[in-house]
Amino acid sequence: METSRSLQTRWWELSGQDPLLLLKTLQLLWTKKEMKKLKEEIRRGFAGLEDPLAGLLDMLESSSDWKGKGHSLGYYISSELQLWMKEHPAVQQSGTKLKKLQARAFRILEQCPANLLDPLISIYQLHTADRNYLLGHVSHLYHRGDYKEAAILSIKLKLQPDQDVEKMCAPLLFQDKINLVEDYVGEHPELQCRLIQILDTWCEPDFNIRDVARQYQGLSRYKPDKLNRKMLSKLIFRLLDRFNVDPALCPNVINQRHLRTLNYLFYKRFVEKTMTQENWADHVQSTVGENRWLQGHLMELLLRHCDLSTAARWAQRCNLPEEMLPSEVADELQKLEMQERVEETTKEENYKEVKKKDYYQLPIPRANIHLLQNWDEMMQCWEKVLKPGQVVGIDMEWRPSFGMVGKPRVSLLQLAVRDEVFLLDLPRLLEQAELKDEKEKLPHFIQMLYSNAAITKLGYGMSGDLSSLAATCSALKGMDKQSQSVVDLLTIDKLLQKSSIDWKKGGLRVDVLPPEQSCEDGELRQPEKGLSLLVQHVLGKPLDKTEQMSNWEKRPLREEQILYAASDAYCLLEVYEKLCKDPESFGLSSDLTESLVRKPSVKPRAKKHLNKQEVPSPSGQQCKGSDRETPRPPAPISPKEFSVVCDNMLQGLGRYLRCLGVDVRMLENEDDHRKAAEIARQEGRVILTSGLPFQTLQSQVGEGRCFSVNCSGKAKEQALQVLRHFNVRVTLADIFSRCQVCNCDKYLKVPKERMRQLVEGSRRSMGDGSSGCPTSDQEPPGRTCSAAQPSSTAPGSTGPWGADVGLVGSTALQVAAIPPGVLDKAELTDFYCCTRCGKVFWEGSHFGRVVSQFQDILVTTGDEQRIYELN
């Protein structure tokens, strides 16, 4: 026994003196997957080497296994040495010897994958090397066309302040490496500003992005149309939001956004006819401001939609110089008379009088509507609203944002009780509280109202209102978690939309106006929606929403705004009372609590899975609801039952979901967001979008059919968010059950020998130019992909190379895309061919990577678990 141990020790002494002998030993253990022994031998081997740092370089220089992606033996050895050196700090080198080691390490960095960077930088203290030398090495990678590698190394060595941000980031943008660009400037505010300014110059009307792309040679995966102005604009606003940068740095995209707002306002006023002249004019003025470029476009729009006198009035209002005006507008400006303004005002007043017959009217006198702008006036509101047993209708108004960055701030808080309405001017009240050092006074009142279980609070979509309230006053954050006895009438609205029963009021059938039905004044009315539709269902007439898009920040408020705001809150009381008196006539349960109650702490996207709890009735008494206290999650569904359409900013998410078996359609870069709503309605899909388009799209589809994805997350995180929200249960059989190219879910299974025949036939026909198959490096579906069984004409077919193997129409198999050597792999027995596009897949490592990425949500059966072995 002693002799054997001595021989083993002597063997380690000999192998320890030579790093290459040590490497052979480690390679053998790595091949056998004996990881515990491998770790012990690495540490023992480094302890026996005269210079462990040089020894590691000898090993890496003599082996090439570490050059590929994923974990390698080289990475494992480097990581273990890094840990071992923490326990043995004496092995660290310095001076000339360290510089020589660093020079060798840099040569390895030119070829190594990203996961080796951190260990090598730490072991050889590369961050301490001469900065000019580091910059020169990065420059060498850059000029070689390795733009991604140059950027990653710059981030690791923190070289960004000494580099040209445009030079480093432009080729990454052309290669669709946006996440890497964000990481590159992530910790440097000055670089963030510079990047946004550069992208904004690319959005100038006469700028040609192709001229920039020509400066960078060897760009891979570059699509010339990828960075169009629309996509650049979205990217800039995303960066503004993420880095909290001043929008003034990007005047081009801001001007374009304002121009789109102008077009939208003209559409609302002159096409839909749903904005009053005064509201429209107010918004147009605030949009164009003193910007001459926007004022010029305003003139063009006015000439297209209005008469000369209107254009002339706006030219006078904007104080435009004569040289900017078309000749006909300049002539009209000289002849303008005040009488036209009087006629327009008279027309608006007549229109308002006619509308009173068609819309809900406040049943209380004007004297009972109180606009509160100071704390002395607030006392009467305080006493009446906080009275135990009170029922309070709550609504809020804010200035429309028209898609601009930031959350809206509440300008008016409406509180309605029986026979009275209180309108709280929040900006004035908060300003006074600031001056009197009573900042907590107003938040305290609002918190008392929402947290008092003895007071019933009525609202419509209260989660969104509370979110805006928190953005207005930081002391109100978390209010949704403190609220009690809250009734959100949005819940009953959903039930009424689903009900097939005719809504009745006093025996009179109340129908929804069809789209663009004529009213008594002869005007075409847009179909009602939201709270207005609910009020029409229950009370017989809809709300007049023409003041909804008012500038609620402007003071003083107009009389029309005051009446609109009061109606929005007071109608909640009347709707609630009517429903509680006779719920069955509206197709609701006699126990109305089950239809109405909700807790506002639930986010809007989870409203359909609400708790059932106790809620006060109009009389102040508690109605008993269900005893269940936890929200019921949505029923689990399989990826085959889940179909979505992804906005063009979420193509990475779409690819991940399709990879997991979800039926995914993706918008092209040039597609407008509205196409997503069209596809969703026609094909019954859920819209996945992010950021600003969500507000527009969710109003065009049914409840719960539009989901806002976290735009700051990476594609994998977004996929997990979507799967968990909709309770999609992914199994191993779902992975790659759809073609990653065309979304088809039917494969043709072709044995390897038959595929070999098809490939050889393809090569023979190449001389005729009949192949036409694009090359592809896409990896195949996994072992459990759902492949269609061969049809009668499949692999035994004698037709030309794939045109006669059971594919759709005249589709040909893309056998030319199969790399050389794949058919010689012994472990491969079958290939899987998409029956729609002809793409050929085979079993590879991609399946294992996807499983490892999503293993937390995978649902595996016992048989599947035995089949799958993660590499």
Side-chain angles (χ1 to χ4, degrees):
M1 178 66 72
E2 186 63 29
T3 303
S4 174
R5 185 178 296 114
S6 299
L7 288 173
Q8 186 179 26
T9 303
R10 179 60 180 161
W11 183 83
W12 267 110
E13 290 174 353
L14 291 173
S15 64
Q17 294 173 3
D18 186 347
L20 300 186
L21 289 177
L22 173 60
L23 177 61
K24 290 182 179 179
T25 303
L26 299 179
Q27 287 173 333
L28 180 62
L29 293 172
W30 176 261
T31 303
K32 294 181 177 180
K33 304 287 186 183
E34 298 181 8
M35 306 310 290
K36 184 176 181 181
K37 288 185 179 180
L38 176 63
K39 181 176 180 179
E40 294 173 355
E41 305 303 353
I42 289 174
R43 290 175 167 262
R44 188 183 304 176
F46 279 125
L49 289 176
E50 181 179 350
D51 187 349
L53 275 66
L56 174 62
L57 293 175
D58 291 338
M59 294 182 198
L60 294 177
E61 289 168 349
S62 64
S63 174
S64 60
D65 79 298
W66 49 269
K67 296 180 181 179
K69 293 182 179 180
H71 292 310
S72 62
L73 175 59
Y75 170 77
Y76 194 85
I77 296 173
S78 302
S79 300
E80 285 299 322
L81 175 58
Q82 186 181 6
L83 296 173
W84 182 80
M85 287 176 63
K86 292 180 180 179
E87 303 169 6
H88 304 82
V91 302
Q92 288 283 6
Q93 301 290 350
S94 61
T96 304
K97 192 169 184 180
L98 176 61
K99 289 183 178 180
K100 291 181 179 179
L101 292 173
Q102 288 176 338
R104 292 177 64 189
F106 274 118
R107 288 194 291 273
I108 292 176
L109 287 183
E110 293 183 3
Q111 310 173 60
C112 75
N115 63 359
L116 259 179
L117 290 178
D118 286 330
L120 293 181
I121 289 173
S122 173
I123 292 170
Y124 298 102
Q125 307 172 57
L126 297 183
H127 57 279
T128 66
D130 180 75
R131 199 162 184 85
N132 290 329
Y133 182 81
L134 297 176
L135 290 168
H137 179 75
V138 170
S139 179
H140 174 70
L141 289 174
Y142 182 90
H143 288 101
R144 201 171 68 183
D146 296 330
Y147 303 114
K148 172 186 171 183
E149 291 74 12
I152 292 175
L153 189 56
S154 298
I155 295 170
K156 300 289 186 184
L157 297 174
K158 302 186 184 303
L159 301 176
Q160 300 99 308
D162 295 326
Q163 294 174 322
D164 184 334
V165 65
E166 181 174 12
K167 177 182 174 182
M168 294 298 296
C169 293
L172 299 177
L173 291 170
F174 290 127
Q175 293 178 309
D176 202 19
K177 305 290 184 185
I178 294 175
N179 288 335
L180 182 55
V181 170
E182 293 183 16
D183 291 340
Y184 182 85
V185 301
E187 298 180 2
H188 303 275
E190 67 284 357
L191 297 185
Q192 296 165 8
C193 295
R194 177 63 185 142
L195 174 63
I196 289 174
Q197 287 177 314
I198 291 167
L199 295 177
D200 185 63
T201 61
W202 291 6
C203 293
E204 291 177 356
D206 299 327
F207 190 86
N208 188 350
I209 194 70
R210 294 173 184 265
D211 292 339
V212 180
R214 292 189 190 100
Q215 302 174 23
Y216 305 99
Q217 302 299 321
L219 289 176
S220 61
R221 298 169 55 191
Y222 169 53
K223 297 180 180 179
D225 297 327
K226 180 72 175 178
L227 283 180
N228 53 48
R229 285 190 181 87
K230 183 176 180 181
M231 297 299 294
L232 281 172
S233 177
K234 293 178 182 177
L235 174 59
I236 290 172
F237 278 103
R238 171 181 166 183
L239 296 177
L240 286 174
D241 186 51
R242 174 175 175 178
F243 297 130
N244 196 25
V245 175
D246 184 2
L249 290 175
C250 45
N252 287 308
V253 294
I254 295 297
N255 281 344
Q256 289 296 330
R257 178 62 63 89
H258 284 316
L259 180 57
R260 288 193 290 272
T261 298
L262 266 184
N263 283 301
Y264 177 70
L265 289 171
F266 272 83
Y267 173 80
K268 295 291 287 185
R269 171 63 181 158
F270 298 106
V271 180
E272 277 194 357
K273 300 182 179 180
T274 54
M275 288 187 75
T276 65
Q277 168 67 21
E278 196 161 3
N279 284 338
W280 172 82
D282 194 20
H283 284 306
V284 168
Q285 181 66 55
S286 63
T287 300
V288 299
E290 299 181 0
N291 188 309
R292 290 300 192 206
W293 185 82
L294 288 171
Q295 289 171 350
H297 282 279
L298 172 61
M299 284 295 107
E300 296 176 8
L301 290 168
L302 286 168
L303 290 174
R304 191 183 311 161
H305 293 278
C306 308
D307 53 24
L308 281 175
S309 61
T310 304
R313 281 198 301 272
W314 274 99
Q316 185 181 51
R317 187 172 185 172
C318 295
N319 197 24
L320 287 176
E322 188 174 347
E323 57 268 22
M324 282 188 64
L325 299 177
S327 58
E328 62 270 28
V329 177
D331 293 340
E332 185 68 23
L333 184 58
Q334 297 175 0
K335 301 183 294 182
L336 188 62
E337 296 180 357
M338 291 300 297
Q339 184 59 36
E340 294 176 331
R341 176 68 177 174
V342 175
E343 292 175 358
E344 180 68 21
T345 303
T346 304
K347 182 179 177 181
E348 288 283 351
E349 292 298 328
N350 292 338
Y351 177 65
K352 292 172 186 174
E353 288 298 322
V354 172
K355 286 197 301 182
K356 288 183 179 179
K357 301 177 183 178
D358 298 316
Y359 292 99
Y360 168 84
Q361 298 296 311
L362 266 175
I364 60 175
R366 173 63 179 85
N368 290 11
I369 303 174
H370 313 286
L371 178 61
L372 310 181
Q373 297 182 304
N374 60 63
W375 282 104
D376 293 334
E377 298 170 341
M378 273 290 297
M379 293 311 299
Q380 57 173 321
C381 170
W382 189 298
E383 295 173 358
K384 293 184 178 181
V385 169
L386 298 183
K387 181 180 178 181
Q390 187 67 275
V391 180
V392 184
I394 304 176
D395 193 38
M396 302 172 199
E397 307 295 343
W398 50 79
R399 177 178 176 174
S401 64
F402 298 115
M404 297 306 289
V405 177
K407 293 182 178 180
R409 295 172 62 84
V410 178
S411 299
L412 197 69
L413 174 62
Q414 304 105 275
L415 304 176
V417 296
R418 175 59 59 192
D419 296 328
E420 284 189 280
V421 180
F422 300 96
L423 308 180
L424 278 61
D425 189 342
L426 288 194
R428 292 279 182 89
L429 292 171
L430 290 172
E431 182 181 355
Q432 288 186 18
E434 182 81 23
L435 293 174
K436 296 181 180 180
D437 198 21
E438 298 176 342
K439 299 179 183 178
E440 303 301 323
K441 203 168 185 179
L442 181 60
H444 177 63
F445 165 71
I446 297 174
Q447 288 169 345
M448 288 177 63
L449 171 61
Y450 274 96
S451 61
N452 192 332
I455 301 174
T456 303
K457 278 75 65 176
L458 309 177
Y460 187 91
M462 294 186 75
S463 294
D465 286 349
L466 288 173
S467 176
S468 297
L469 201 57
T472 307
C473 180
S474 59
L476 296 175
K477 289 183 178 178
M479 269 290 302
D480 52 346
K481 299 177 182 177
Q482 305 171 17
S483 301
Q484 298 187 66
S485 301
V486 171
V487 178
D488 195 336
L489 294 179
L490 177 60
T491 307
I492 196 68
D493 195 7
K494 295 175 189 175
L495 293 175
L496 288 175
Q497 290 179 28
K498 294 176 183 177
S499 176
S500 60
I501 298 177
D502 293 336
W503 294 289
K504 297 183 179 180
K505 178 179 182 296
L508 176 65
R509 175 170 171 159
V510 181
D511 293 315
V512 185
L513 280 174
E516 299 187 346
Q517 178 170 320
S518 295
C519 304
E520 290 187 19
D521 56 7
E523 293 275 348
L524 290 179
R525 181 192 300 171
Q526 294 294 316
E528 306 300 334
K529 57 186 177 181
L531 177 59
S532 178
L533 181 60
L534 177 63
V535 173
Q536 179 171 356
H537 288 166
V538 178
L539 302 180
K541 291 184 179 181
L543 292 172
D544 180 2
K545 305 296 285 187
T546 51
E547 292 294 332
Q548 183 180 30
M549 298 184 70
S550 297
N551 183 356
W552 292 98
E553 292 180 359
K554 186 178 179 181
R555 296 293 183 269
L557 292 173
R558 291 177 285 103
E559 183 68 13
E560 293 85 357
Q561 289 178 295
I562 291 174
L563 293 175
Y564 167 82
S567 298
D568 252 17
Y570 201 86
C571 70
L572 299 172
L573 299 176
E574 294 200 276
V575 168
Y576 184 64
E577 182 178 8
K578 179 73 174 177
L579 292 175
C580 287
K581 283 183 178 178
D582 190 12
E584 294 180 349
S585 66
F586 295 93
L588 303 174
S589 168
S590 57
D591 185 357
L592 187 60
T593 304
E594 295 183 3
S595 304
L596 289 179
V597 74
R598 68 177 289 275
K599 289 181 72 68
S601 60
V602 181
K603 295 182 179 179
R605 62 183 177 223
K607 287 178 184 173
K608 57 186 176 183
H609 313 304
L610 302 170
N611 294 349
K612 292 181 173 64
Q613 54 188 343
E614 292 186 355
V615 63
S617 66
S619 62
Q621 298 177 344
Q622 298 286 324
C623 303
K624 295 289 183 180
S626 171
D627 293 333
R628 287 175 294 183
E629 297 183 358
T630 56
R632 207 180 332 175
I637 59 174
S638 70
K640 294 178 182 178
E641 301 172 283
F642 188 46
S643 59
V644 302
V645 53
C646 286
D647 202 351
N648 42 27
M649 286 293 283
L650 297 174
Q651 293 180 351
L653 166 63
R655 288 191 289 270
Y656 263 116
L657 292 178
R658 186 179 288 174
C659 175
L660 298 172
V662 176
D663 181 3
V664 179
R665 281 196 61 176
M666 290 181 273
L667 296 190
E668 299 297 331
N669 293 328
E670 62 275 7
D671 288 338
D672 189 89
H673 294 295
R674 287 172 291 189
K675 187 173 180 180
E678 180 183 340
I679 293 173
R681 289 193 297 266
Q682 291 175 354
E683 303 179 13
R685 296 177 180 270
V686 172
I687 300 176
L688 301 181
T689 185
S690 64
L692 303 177
F694 173 69
Q695 299 298 333
T696 303
L697 292 174
Q698 71 167 345
S699 65
Q700 300 181 30
V701 293
E703 179 68 28
R705 306 299 294 178
C706 184
F707 182 68
S708 179
V709 180
N710 179 10
C711 61
S712 63
K714 295 187 177 180
K716 174 194 168 185
E717 298 166 353
Q718 293 172 338
L720 289 171
Q721 180 190 7
V722 171
L723 295 173
R724 286 169 175 154
H725 177 80
F726 291 98
N727 202 2
V728 182
R729 311 299 294 274
V730 181
T731 67
L732 291 174
D734 294 314
I735 298 178
F736 294 116
S737 60
R738 286 188 175 273
C739 175
Q740 300 303 287
V741 178
C742 70
N743 198 43
C744 177
D745 62 350
K746 290 182 173 57
Y747 292 102
L748 189 69
K749 186 175 181 181
V750 180
K752 181 167 67 174
E753 290 309 313
R754 176 57 177 147
M755 184 59 69
R756 192 187 302 276
Q757 297 172 12
L758 295 172
V759 171
E760 291 173 356
S762 168
R763 291 170 182 166
R764 286 196 297 270
S765 64
M766 288 291 284
D768 302 330
S770 59
S771 170
C773 292
T775 59
S776 170
D777 58 357
Q778 182 161 348
E779 295 214 46
R783 309 178 180 184
T784 57
C785 87
S786 301
Q789 293 302 314
S791 65
S792 59
T793 60
S797 168
T798 59
W801 60 279
D804 191 23
V805 290
L807 302 186
V808 174
S810 58
T811 303
L813 288 182
Q814 300 180 36
V815 294
I818 301 176
V822 171
L823 286 165
D824 297 329
K825 291 185 177 181
E827 64 272 18
L828 281 181
T829 58
D830 298 293
F831 289 78
Y832 301 90
C833 313
C834 175
T835 59
R836 180 184 298 166
C837 69
K839 182 73 177 176
V840 180
F841 300 90
W842 58 95
E843 183 179 318
S845 59
H846 199 178
F847 179 77
R849 289 200 294 272
V850 172
V851 172
S852 63
Q853 287 179 312
F854 293 95
Q855 56 186 348
D856 292 342
I857 62 164
L858 278 178
V859 179
T860 56
T861 64
D863 292 338
E864 287 175 329
Q865 189 62 41
R866 284 191 292 273
I867 292 174
Y868 169 66
E869 176 182 356
L870 186 58
N871 292 326

